[in-house]
Amino acid sequence: MTGRHRPTSHRPYKFLTSTAAAGALFVTGCGVLPGASGDSGEPLTVVTWAPSGAATPDTVNTVNMSGMTAMARAYARWVNNNGGLDGHRLRVVTCDESDTSTGAGNCARLAVREKAVAVVGSYSRYGSSFLPPLETAGIPYIGGYGASEEEFSSYTSYPVNGGQAALLAGNAQQLARSCERVSVVRPDTLGGDGQAWLLRTGLTDAGRPEPVDIRAEEAATSYDDAAGQALQAAGADGGCVTAVLGDRTETFFDSFRRLEPSYGNVRISSVLGSVAQPLIDSTGGRNSPFEGAYVTGWYPNSGDARWDRMREVIREHAFGDNRIDPADTGVQTTWIAYTALSEIVKAIDAPRITAWKLTSALNHGTPVDTGGLTPKLRWRYKDMLGASSYPRVVNTKVTFQTVRDGRLVADKKGFVDVARTLSDASVKG
């Protein structure tokens, strides 16, 4: 699972260290307001990690999700200025995960050293590196971005979305509503094989033909051949092309738009993370090549009023930090993850919060209300999808969006449940 963040993209780079702790920055907030109850409970330490996109020789291929750690810091300032989390002062430790397995493991071990009660709202593609240390220490991983498959199988993970699998299942349903033929362009990798299978399952479940599966080089600088194949297979009338290439999605659609006039008008599509509001803005807004595109997301579109509280916190407590874009899916996921943490801490209502208490509350089904940004979340066994490929998924809902006048807006009101497609794909796969 990848995020779309200009100007950087995926590839490893050197893990950053500091004399205080490897890769860590400490946030103590701005103090407790006079008379607030921030000192009525013991302080509560959590960790948030994400790759920072720091300059390296391979900067062009370096992922940047620094908005997530910046959002965590802003959240800490906000809650500490308002009495803490149920009276507990929130201490956020951030770590540069560096988009490497070594960086992910280092961040997880930092969480253990800091005696964190949870890792919250983080991003990493290396679940096999960061989850074992957390499992050994009994530290819950709450609201990860969904960038690694292990987040949806590890017993210490509590996801707030359905990951890329849910987006692809939803994208298939969204396309099935109006596309007679679909071409899917995806990486020629094992992960890409899974993407194609989910789209195929969703389209055939909806009574549509199987998509034409077009494999493409993951790190190509031009996709003229793939674009030509996709356009020809989709046809000029009633055809759609969907591309799920992460940071290379923009490159693909550059090639697509150069060829499109000779083939007619074909609807384009993708998923959030490959296409998001920052990318639309940077490629021309209303004149963007994504105008009219279908986009499947996890959450309501960024202009929805349900994001107003987050926007207010960013405005008042991020101090102009331009890494935090409220339209960024990573920032939104971190906000939702901290909302979940807050709900669980309030439900426990104890002078001391531990990792064990949080895990116990999560496992026993303490409900989390995210203000409508997701369905109500619970992580009991019976709340989980239970499909062999995605056993820990509890949120099987997605949103259908479209690009209109340069903005992502709702294409369909409310959430769409993709549980059936996920289950069918898991069984048939």
Side-chain angles (χ1 to χ4, degrees):
M1 178 60 172
T2 58
R4 182 60 178 89
H5 297 272
R6 294 173 61 92
T8 55
S9 60
H10 306 303
R11 285 300 179 267
Y13 54 88
K14 187 177 180 181
F15 185 69
L16 303 179
T17 60
S18 72
T19 56
L25 293 171
F26 299 90
V27 176
T28 58
C30 301
V32 180
L33 293 177
S37 58
D39 57 355
S40 62
E42 291 187 10
L44 190 156
T45 296
V46 300
V47 172
T48 296
W49 63 58
S52 71
T56 71
D58 195 23
T59 297
V60 173
N61 293 316
T62 301
V63 67
N64 182 358
M65 302 294 284
S66 58
M68 298 178 72
T69 49
M71 181 72 250
R73 295 168 188 154
Y75 188 94
R77 295 184 191 104
W78 173 54
V79 298
N80 288 335
N81 278 351
N82 290 278
L85 291 184
D86 195 40
H88 298 270
R89 187 171 184 78
L90 180 63
R91 177 176 177 259
V92 172
V93 179
T94 64
C95 184
D96 184 351
E97 181 268 0
S98 74
D99 197 30
T100 66
S101 59
T102 300
N106 286 344
C107 285
R109 287 184 284 274
L110 173 64
V112 176
R113 290 198 305 273
E114 292 295 325
K115 296 181 172 55
V117 300
V119 174
V120 185
S122 297
Y123 178 103
S124 177
R125 296 188 294 138
Y126 300 97
S128 60
S129 296
F130 71 76
L131 280 165
L134 299 185
E135 290 170 351
T136 300
I139 299 173
Y141 186 74
I142 301 174
Y145 185 86
S148 65
E149 293 182 3
E150 292 85 356
E151 292 175 51
F152 302 101
S153 59
S154 171
Y155 62 86
T156 200
S157 178
Y158 300 87
V160 297
N161 60 52
Q164 189 180 49
L167 294 180
L168 291 163
N171 193 227
Q173 289 192 26
Q174 188 175 15
L175 292 169
R177 297 189 305 158
S178 57
C179 302
E180 295 181 12
R181 295 167 305 281
V182 174
S183 298
V184 54
V185 183
R186 49 80 169 189
D188 188 11
T189 62
L190 185 61
D193 292 345
Q195 295 173 6
W197 182 253
L198 275 160
L199 284 160
R200 175 185 176 184
T201 302
L203 285 165
T204 54
D205 279 355
R208 292 291 190 181
E210 293 181 6
V212 176
D213 182 16
I214 299 168
R215 296 171 175 84
E217 184 181 344
E218 192 170 22
T221 56
S222 173
Y223 289 97
D224 287 356
D225 288 345
Q229 293 177 53
L231 283 162
Q232 188 170 18
D237 183 24
C240 295
V241 172
T242 188
V244 186
L245 293 165
D247 290 347
R248 299 297 181 176
T249 301
E250 178 187 359
T251 304
F252 169 78
F253 281 119
D254 283 344
S255 298
F256 177 92
R257 286 305 191 195
R258 287 197 299 270
L259 298 174
E260 187 188 13
S262 62
Y263 286 89
N265 186 23
V266 178
R267 195 77 179 251
I268 65 173
S269 175
S270 192
V271 297
L272 277 178
S274 287
V275 173
Q277 191 62 56
L279 174 60
I280 296 165
D281 294 340
S282 67
T283 55
R286 293 184 180 183
N287 298 315
S288 165
F290 302 104
E291 182 68 21
Y294 291 134
V295 180
T296 306
W298 291 312
Y299 317 126
N301 60 280
S302 60
D304 192 285
R306 284 169 284 188
W307 294 110
D308 286 353
R309 174 59 64 84
M310 182 189 74
R311 291 179 180 277
E312 179 183 347
V313 169
I314 293 171
R315 187 168 54 249
E316 295 182 1
H317 297 277
F319 307 134
D321 191 332
N322 60 13
R323 293 171 299 174
I324 306 179
D325 186 338
D328 177 84
T329 314
V331 169
Q332 294 172 350
T333 299
T334 299
W335 172 261
I336 290 171
Y338 272 91
T339 301
L341 174 70
S342 176
E343 292 280 296
I344 297 296
V345 169
K346 289 176 183 176
I348 294 172
D349 191 26
R352 182 168 182 260
I353 301 295
T354 64
W356 181 86
K357 287 180 180 178
L358 282 175
T359 300
S360 180
L362 289 160
N363 290 341
H364 284 86
T366 299
V368 167
D369 184 348
T370 62
L373 296 172
T374 67
K376 187 168 287 188
L377 301 173
R378 303 179 80 162
W379 290 272
R380 295 171 301 181
Y381 180 76
K382 66 180 181 180
D383 298 312
M384 296 178 184
L385 179 64
S388 59
S389 298
Y390 327 102
R392 298 286 294 181
V393 171
V394 298
N395 180 4
T396 58
K397 305 291 180 66
V398 297
T399 58
F400 290 170
Q401 301 174 35
T402 189
V403 183
R404 187 178 302 134
D405 294 328
R407 304 300 300 175
L408 275 167
V409 297
D411 183 40
K412 177 181 173 62
K413 186 177 181 180
F415 292 99
V416 178
D417 196 345
V418 297
R420 176 184 168 185
T421 299
L422 291 174
S423 297
D424 286 353
S426 184
V427 170
K428 296 174 184 176

